[in-house]
Each structure stands twice: as structure tokens, then as C-alpha cells.
């Protein structure tokens, strides 16, 4: 697993709208109508992350979900981060 270059990261960001890149990670925030909708999405993301063996850093406050993705083994971003970001976008889009 190789750490992505700045150019590769910028290219990948084109495919995951709403994600920001800083501090060697990508970040996003989702707002839901209520806690149960937020928690439902978190559960679906957790199941996908487990399948991918790549887990997000996240924080939930009521109906808000903040997610940070990076690959700790390389101290930066890899393809795994963008694959999980795309899966998260798909999951949230289904809600």
C-alpha cells in the first residue's frame, strides 16, 4: 500500500465531492434529520468498513456525523481511503 502523491490526491478528490483534504487526511460532515437516521448510516458504514478492513475516524453528535479518513500505516492517504469515501457517499446517497 503506497502513500498517494499530492497530484493523485487532487485527482481522486474530483470523484468524491464534499470531502476536504488537509492534515494528510480527507474529511467530510453529514447532517441528518435525527439521531436514528445518523446512527443507521453509521451502522451501514461500519459494516462496509469492516469488509474493506479500513476504518474511519469519526465523531457523532446527535444528527451530525464528521468523518476523517487516512491510512495510519503510511501516515497519509492511499487508494483505500478513496474507495471507502466512495462507498460512504453511496451509503449516504441511499438514505
Amino acid at each position: 500500500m503506497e502513500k498517494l502523491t499530492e497530484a493523485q490526491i487532487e485527482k481522486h478528490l474530483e470523484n468524491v465531492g464534499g470531502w476536504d483534504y488537509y492534515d494528510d487526511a480527507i474529511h467530510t460532515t453529514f447532517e441528518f434529520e435525527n439521531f436514528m437516521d445518523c446512527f443507521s448510516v453509521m451502522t451501514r458504514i461500519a459494516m462496509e468498513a469492516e469488509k474493506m478492513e479500513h476504518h474511519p475516524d469519526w465523531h457523532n453528535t446527535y444528527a451530525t456525523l464528521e468523518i476523517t479518513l487516512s491510512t495510519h500505516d503510511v501516515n497519509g492517504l492511499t487508494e483505500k481511503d478513496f474507495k471507502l469515501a466512495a462507498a460512504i457517499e453511496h451509503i449516504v446517497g441511499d438514505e
Side-chain angles (χ1 to χ4, degrees), residues 16-78:
V16 288
W19 290 78
D20 297 314
Y21 169 60
Y22 56 91
D23 296 335
D24 291 320
I26 53 175
H27 311 264
T28 196
T29 300
F30 297 105
E31 296 283 337
F32 299 91
E33 288 189 29
N34 55 56
F35 175 76
M36 287 306 296
D37 288 346
C38 186
F39 193 79
S40 172
V41 166
M42 290 177 71
T43 301
R44 292 176 62 202
I45 292 170
M47 293 172 72
E48 185 63 29
E50 188 65 18
K51 280 191 241 176
M52 295 175 77
E53 296 182 359
H54 192 57
H55 305 93
D57 292 324
W58 56 12
H59 178 79
N60 161 247
T61 303
Y62 184 63
T64 302
L65 175 59
E66 299 172 12
I67 301 174
T68 298
L69 298 177
S70 67
T71 302
H72 302 290
D73 293 344
V74 300
N75 294 318
L77 293 169
T78 65

